Amino acid sequence: LPFGVVAVADGQSNEIRIFDRNGGHLQTAGGEGSGPGEFTRLRKAFSYMADSAAVTEIMGATISIFDSEGNWGRSTTCKPASSSFTGLRVEGALAGGEFLVRGMQQFQTEAPTEGYHREPSVYQICRADGEPGPILAEVPDLEFETLTREGKLVSFPLEMGGRAAAVVVGDAVMVGVTDRLELRRYGADGGLQGILRVGIPPSPVRDETIAQWIEHQLEPVDDPEVARQTRQRYRDRIWPDSLPVFSDLRGDSEGNLWVRRFRPPFAEEPGAWWVFGSDGSFLARAILPADLRVEAIGTDFVLGVMADELGVERVFRFPLLKAPPSVDSAE
């Protein structure tokens, strides 16, 4: 927020905590409840119209707007662009005040059966007053395996599988799937403005990749029998043919797109990001802490969350050091 102020959404207390640029606590807003500016299951906060914070909950598409001092201003509930859309979630805000919303089709494309399946997510624009805007795209989302357990069909996401991805970058939205680096750029009016396509081949999922993933998951398991059963259960699962090309998207304050290259959870190397300009040109490669969940990127800082060895999450602001790129392509 302005002057380096940071708004932190605390999902446990349902509070918005406001800090100055040095980490000093300024104000606490929100709290548990169903009244104006209160929450029951707080999900996330993001910058809105440059000087405010928009806050959403896990369920529903209601957005609460707070100023940089933590004062609640108004709340808006986004409406679906189609009566068949369900499970709306607000993902971010465009520079003009519109919101990016993700939902699902109410009716699956096929009746659920055992085996592999993948249902789409739909992205739409929501106006500042909550009225539905244009539908941007319908793209394949999480890859699932469906099994029969105790006579019922149960679905599990594929480990290291692909999913839908979208991010707000200034006054536009980038939409794609993590399987390949091909992102479509849409304006607030729903018009397609361009396509960013980088020919990076996905890495195949080999037997050794699966074995490394399984052993990484079993590191905290002490009981040998539990480890054996869990290992066998994982080996019997469906695995994707290839790894995702990227795992995260972020937009910075200068209108650039940041793409995080996929990194398996057992990998030891730091997190590598590609940075692209608004015209699709490759600008730089960035290296960030591997465990940092990036939340905001400014002209000279990266703001994010990391957990310590006890699982306690903390907010960090890292200086962003820029240098001329040493290569002229994302590879």
Side-chain angles (χ1 to χ4, degrees), residues 258-279:
W258 290 55
V259 181
R260 180 170 186 166
R261 186 163 192 168
F262 178 80
R263 169 186 172 274
F266 53 80
E268 297 181 355
E269 65 267 16
W273 294 70
W274 301 304
V275 186
F276 298 91
S278 58
D279 60 353

Side-chain angles (χ1 to χ4, degrees), residues 60-268:
T62 296
I63 308 121
S64 298
I65 308 297
F66 293 82
D67 66 19
S68 58
E69 297 180 350
N71 300 307
W72 175 79
R74 63 183 177 88
S75 293
T76 299
T77 300
C78 286
K79 301 175 182 177
S82 169
S83 60
S84 65
F85 291 177
T86 185
L88 297 188
R89 300 180 72 172
V90 182
E91 300 295 339
L94 283 71
E98 304 89 351
F99 298 99
L100 170 64
V101 177
R102 180 175 67 176
M104 298 182 66
Q105 291 282 6
Q106 189 172 2
F107 305 105
Q108 293 183 319
T109 55
E110 297 179 358
T113 58
E114 284 194 333
Y116 173 91
H117 68 97
R118 191 173 190 179
E119 294 296 324
S121 279
V122 182
Y123 291 94
Q124 69 164 76
I125 294 294
C126 169
R127 307 298 186 195
D129 60 0
E131 291 300 311
I135 298 171
L136 303 181
E138 180 178 304
V139 293
D141 208 336
L142 283 172
E143 297 181 277
F144 281 94
E145 178 186 10
T146 299
L147 305 171
T148 299
R149 293 279 178 87
E150 298 180 353
K152 297 181 180 179
L153 290 174
V154 182
S155 295
F156 300 91
L158 263 60
E159 312 297 349
M160 298 185 291
R163 61 177 177 83
V167 68
V168 174
V169 185
D171 59 356
V173 176
M174 306 292 291
V175 181
V177 292
T178 60
D179 312 49
R180 58 188 180 275
L181 188 41
E182 180 178 311
L183 303 171
R184 295 177 179 265
R185 181 185 179 98
Y186 297 92
D189 62 356
L192 179 63
Q193 298 179 344
I195 301 175
L196 171 65
R197 185 183 294 115
V198 182
I200 300 175
S203 301
V205 176
R206 299 185 173 91
D207 291 342
E208 55 266 32
T209 308
I210 297 173
Q212 287 179 292
W213 188 95
I214 293 175
E215 295 310 312
H216 175 78
Q217 296 300 110
L218 292 176
E219 284 180 359
V221 179
D222 297 324
D223 189 317
E225 180 59 22
V226 172
R228 185 191 66 80
Q229 295 178 8
T230 304
R231 187 178 290 108
Q232 187 60 51
R233 187 167 63 248
Y234 279 133
R235 286 174 176 167
D236 292 341
R237 293 279 307 276
I238 292 176
W239 292 83
D241 295 328
S242 59
L243 296 174
V245 172
F246 69 93
S247 60
D248 200 5
L249 300 172
R250 287 290 182 269
D252 67 17
S253 61
E254 297 180 305
N256 301 316
L257 171 70
W258 290 55
V259 181
R260 180 170 186 166
R261 186 163 192 168
F262 178 80
R263 169 186 172 274
F266 53 80
E268 297 181 355

Side-chain angles (χ1 to χ4, degrees), residues 278-322:
S278 58
D279 60 353
S281 60
F282 175 71
L283 301 180
R285 181 173 182 264
I287 300 298
L288 302 178
D291 297 329
L292 181 68
R293 186 177 77 239
V294 176
E295 297 291 348
I297 306 171
T299 57
D300 59 358
F301 71 89
V302 175
L303 190 72
V305 178
M306 286 195 298
D308 61 20
E309 63 275 5
L310 298 178
V312 178
E313 292 188 330
R314 303 181 188 279
V315 179
F316 292 85
R317 188 207 305 266
F318 291 96
L320 184 59
L321 308 178
K322 299 181 181 180

